[in-house]
Amino acid sequence: MSYKRVKMIGAYCPNCQRKLDILLSEYEQNKVCICFRCRTLYEFDGEKLQKLGLSKQITLQEKLVLEPLVKALPEQHRYKGRGSQLRQKDQSFERAWLSLAEYERQFGEPLGFGKCDLRADAASCKWCGKELPKGRRSFCKDSCSRNYSQATFTKRHMASVPYRIACRDRFYCQISGADLAQYNRHGIRIPASNGELAIHHLIFVSRKGTDYEQNLLTVSIDVHKAYHAGEAEIVKQVHRILEQRRAIHSEKMQFE
């Protein structure tokens, strides 16, 4: 059975308002919708959108069903060893970004880019864009500071490591130049993803690529998909960046 993955204008997640990815199959009447931001599954029965409850617990019978599936995967897709986002859990590995403390311990240096200021004018408020009163450096009033913190921290929907990489790259796709930052209600560009941002590992996790900052690249979701689909020009540009960085940082970009 094959599926077609599409995004439709106006099809947004009821929870976080990101565009839904819809899986279409000619053999099934019910359609599955996926939101990758809040990790939620929905099913559409032709009349209404129904949220699907997901359980993290796995039964013994389910394990027995999954074992042949794992064995059927190509060798390069079986994560057996130490690698970037891999965390050992029981006899398997699960993917999760490094914490900032673990990043520093693993690579012997802190991950910088903790401050990201996208203002074109340093004398304007980061949130509303108004001229700063005397004595203030970032926000014209306390409410602007709270709104900014909420948008860039509380509700940013990104772990610390990928967020800092996006800050390093100023929220621009490093291949296409697309603007991936969010714009608030005042039309001000703020350091938060607009929902179309992805962080790409130059050396894949499955090939023992690490979460080291030089192994990470900010790209748009469309560029990310095009790269993994093998689009020649995109692959060429990404590999050019990979070779430049690997020539200097190879020891930290990949585990031996």
Side-chain angles (χ1 to χ4, degrees), residues 25-92:
S25 170
E26 58 181 318
Y27 300 105
E28 294 182 2
Q29 183 176 358
N30 290 5
K31 308 305 178 189
V32 176
C33 306
I34 306 171
C35 177
F36 286 100
R37 170 179 282 178
C38 61
R39 301 180 182 180
T40 306
L41 283 177
Y42 299 93
E43 186 178 50
F44 180 65
D45 60 8
E47 296 183 358
K48 60 181 180 179
L49 205 62
Q50 181 70 36
K51 184 177 180 180
L52 298 178
L54 299 178
S55 173
K56 294 183 179 180
Q57 300 297 324
I58 186 169
T59 66
L60 177 60
Q61 183 177 1
E62 288 170 332
K63 284 185 177 179
L64 294 175
V65 171
L66 290 172
E67 281 181 2
L69 169 65
V70 174
K71 292 179 181 178
L73 292 172
E75 184 69 23
Q76 68 179 31
H77 294 294
R78 298 183 200 172
Y79 302 127
K80 296 180 179 179
R82 184 182 175 212
S84 163
Q85 299 172 34
L86 305 183
R87 303 286 179 275
Q88 189 159 9
K89 184 178 181 181
D90 300 326
Q91 300 300 314
S92 62

Side-chain angles (χ1 to χ4, degrees), residues 85-132:
Q85 299 172 34
L86 305 183
R87 303 286 179 275
Q88 189 159 9
K89 184 178 181 181
D90 300 326
Q91 300 300 314
S92 62
F93 289 85
E94 62 180 8
R95 296 180 69 157
W97 286 99
L98 295 175
S99 66
L100 294 177
E102 180 61 20
Y103 181 99
E104 185 171 354
R105 187 198 68 77
Q106 193 167 108
F107 301 113
E109 61 184 75
L111 178 59
F113 321 109
K115 295 181 179 180
C116 187
D117 189 348
L118 302 183
R119 289 178 296 179
D121 182 2
S124 64
C125 176
K126 287 183 178 181
W127 181 252
C128 69
K130 293 181 180 178
E131 184 178 351
L132 292 175

Side-chain angles (χ1 to χ4, degrees), residues 12-24:
Y12 295 95
C13 173
N15 184 46
C16 70
Q17 302 304 310
R18 176 176 173 166
K19 277 187 179 180
L20 287 172
D21 287 69
I22 305 170
L23 299 184
L24 297 175

